[in-house]
Amino acid sequence: MTLQPRCEDVETAEGVALTVTGVAQVKIMTEKELLAVACEQFLGKNVQDIKNVVLQTLEGHLRSILGTLTVEQIYQDRDQFAKLVREVAAPDVGRMGIEILSFTIKDVYDKVDYLSSLGKTQTAVVQRDADIGVAEAERDAGIREAECKKEMLDVKFMADTKIADSKRAFELQKSAFSEEVNIKTAEAQLAYELQGAREQQKIRQEEIEIEIVQRKKQIAVEAQEILRVDKELIATVRRPAEAEAHRIQQIAEGEKVKQVLLAQAEAEKIRKIGEAEAAVIEAMGKAEAERMKLKAEAYQKYGDAAKMALVLETLPEIAAKIAAPLTKVDEIVILSGDNSKVTSEVNRLLAELPASVHALTGVDLTQVCA
């Protein structure tokens, strides 16, 4: 029997409603025990009734398995999905004496374009992978092309290097040959110049020997001339000069002795004068000391009267010192009115005189006069 189980709007594990149709091939088992089970289940029923029983069983298992899978698992791996349904449903229908010969998924679709979106995503992924593949192929091609160019350049570089090495070896060899030729040429030129220099040296040496002989003769003549001139100078200049120098020396020595004697006499004179002045000063000092001593004894003897006499002798000198600035004044004019105070001022000055004398000398004129 061929069955076509169909499950409409069944939610998958992700909650997406799918409609799935399948095709199953089933038959009655022929083994005695299983055939007896089938007879017990379906005896008296027609083929359509048997199909309906088996179909409902298959659809129930199909519905239950859809609820445990994702859309991607159902859509991308239909064989695995069909195998799973067959394995789950086989025991149940087997107990009814029915054998599932095959079960395949015929169609899977939905009403919300979920599978279409998956197709677009897959298409985009495929397109992306294709673009990536093209880019990687182009990259690989570029890399390979670059490697080929590099290999070509390496080969060319090696060839150019070998050519350059050959040229350099040729140039070095050529330079070595040229250097050897130049060395030989220079050696020959140097030998020629050395020989010429030796000949010139011999000629110069002969000339120098001739000049030496001539110079010796000239030196001998000049030496004779020097001796002659020296003798002439001795006779005409040196001897008179020595005599004059001796005379001047004698005069200078006499003058020196004279100056020394005069200085010694002057020093002796100054010393004598100093001793005399010192003696005079000493005598005057002793006389003054004696005078002061006698005056002090006299003052001591006479007492206040002597002091008064000394003060009276000193007052004119004090007055002269005080009035000394007035000596530079031509005249003094005293101006006053009718009530002249000149007399009173003079009396006042005289009244203040004892106090001034006492302040200057320590002597009280009032007591002395009393």
Side-chain angles (χ1 to χ4, degrees):
M1 296 174 287
T2 300
L3 304 178
Q4 293 184 353
R6 177 185 179 87
C7 295
E8 294 184 358
D9 299 330
V10 179
E11 292 184 358
T12 62
E14 296 174 341
V16 179
L18 293 180
T19 297
V20 179
T21 61
V23 176
Q25 300 293 333
V26 299
K27 77 179 190 70
I28 302 294
M29 293 181 180
T30 59
E31 289 83 358
K32 291 182 179 182
E33 294 180 357
L34 296 177
L35 182 57
V37 172
C39 291
E40 180 182 356
Q41 293 290 330
F42 302 112
L43 186 63
K45 294 183 179 180
N46 58 27
V47 176
Q48 186 61 42
D49 293 334
I50 297 173
K51 286 184 177 180
N52 289 335
V53 173
V54 177
L55 181 62
Q56 290 177 4
T57 302
L58 290 176
E59 287 179 352
H61 286 294
L62 180 59
R63 187 180 296 275
S64 64
I65 292 173
L66 283 173
T68 61
L69 298 177
T70 63
V71 177
E72 287 79 3
Q73 290 174 336
I74 298 169
Y75 184 78
Q76 294 176 359
D77 196 356
R78 296 187 180 188
D79 292 339
Q80 183 65 27
F81 174 47
K83 180 180 178 182
L84 183 61
V85 174
R86 188 168 57 251
E87 291 176 353
V88 173
D92 288 341
V93 295
R95 284 192 289 270
M96 292 183 292
I98 302 297
E99 178 183 2
I100 300 175
L101 299 177
S102 68
F103 180 84
T104 58
I105 300 299
K106 182 180 179 181
D107 194 10
V108 178
Y109 62 92
D110 67 296
K111 297 178 181 180
V112 293
D113 296 333
Y114 186 87
L115 294 175
S116 177
S117 299
L118 287 178
K120 292 180 180 179
T121 303
Q122 185 64 27
T123 303
V125 171
V126 172
Q127 184 65 36
R128 180 199 64 190
D129 294 340
D131 294 338
I132 293 173
V134 172
E136 290 178 350
E138 292 178 352
R139 180 199 63 190
D140 295 339
I143 292 173
R144 183 55 185 163
E145 183 180 359
E147 290 176 352
C148 292
K149 288 183 179 180
K150 180 178 179 301
E151 292 176 359
M152 180 187 69
L153 292 175
D154 290 341
V155 172
K156 184 176 181 301
F157 175 75
M158 292 177 65
D160 293 340
T161 303
K162 289 181 180 180
I163 294 172
D165 290 340
S166 299
K167 289 183 179 180
R168 182 174 61 83
F170 172 74
E171 294 294 335
L172 289 175
Q173 189 66 30
K174 183 179 177 181
S175 299
F177 291 155
S178 299
E179 183 180 1
E180 186 176 356
V181 172
N182 293 332
I183 289 173
K184 295 298 182 181
T185 303
E187 288 177 353
Q189 183 67 27
L190 181 61
Y192 173 76
E193 292 177 357
L194 287 175
Q195 187 62 32
R198 291 192 187 98
E199 297 297 330
Q200 291 293 330
Q201 186 176 6
K202 289 180 181 180
I203 296 170
R204 182 57 183 165
Q205 187 173 0
E206 295 294 334
E207 292 177 351
I208 291 172
E209 289 178 357
I210 295 171
E211 290 178 357
I212 290 172
V213 173
Q214 292 177 353
R215 186 59 181 165
K216 286 181 179 179
K217 291 180 180 180
Q218 185 178 357
I219 290 171
V221 173
E222 291 177 354
Q224 294 297 326
E225 181 65 20
I226 290 171
L227 291 174
R228 187 189 66 77
V229 173
D230 188 32
K231 290 179 180 180
E232 183 178 354
L233 289 174
I234 290 172
T236 59
V237 178
R238 184 176 177 182
R239 295 295 172 78
E242 288 178 352
E244 181 65 20
H246 181 70
R247 185 181 68 80
I248 293 172
Q249 184 179 3
Q250 294 297 323
I251 293 172
E253 289 179 356
E255 186 67 24
K256 177 181 178 182
V257 172
K258 177 182 176 181
Q259 293 295 330
V260 170
L261 294 175
L262 288 174
Q264 291 177 353
E266 184 66 21
E268 185 66 19
K269 173 185 174 184
I270 293 172
R271 188 179 64 80
K272 296 293 185 182
I273 293 172
E275 290 178 353
E277 290 178 352
V280 171
I281 292 171
E282 183 180 2
M284 290 177 63
K286 289 181 178 179
E288 182 66 21
E290 185 66 23
R291 185 178 71 82
M292 293 298 294
K293 180 178 178 184
L294 294 175
K295 185 181 289 188
E297 291 177 353
Y299 288 159
Q300 186 68 27
K301 183 177 180 181
Y302 295 106
D304 294 336
K307 295 179 180 179
M308 183 61 188
L310 179 62
V311 170
L312 294 176
E313 290 177 0
T314 308
L315 283 178
E317 295 181 4
I318 295 173
K321 295 293 183 180
I322 294 172
L326 298 178
T327 59
K328 299 180 181 181
V329 179
D330 294 335
E331 62 182 358
I332 297 174
V333 178
I334 299 175
L335 300 177
S336 64
D338 296 336
N339 298 324
S340 178
K341 296 182 180 180
V342 175
T343 304
S344 62
E345 289 295 328
V346 172
N347 291 333
R348 184 179 62 78
L349 291 175
L350 292 175
E352 294 177 355
L353 182 61
S356 299
V357 172
H358 184 269
L360 294 171
T361 63
V363 177
D364 191 354
L365 291 179
T366 303
Q367 293 183 357
V368 173
C369 293

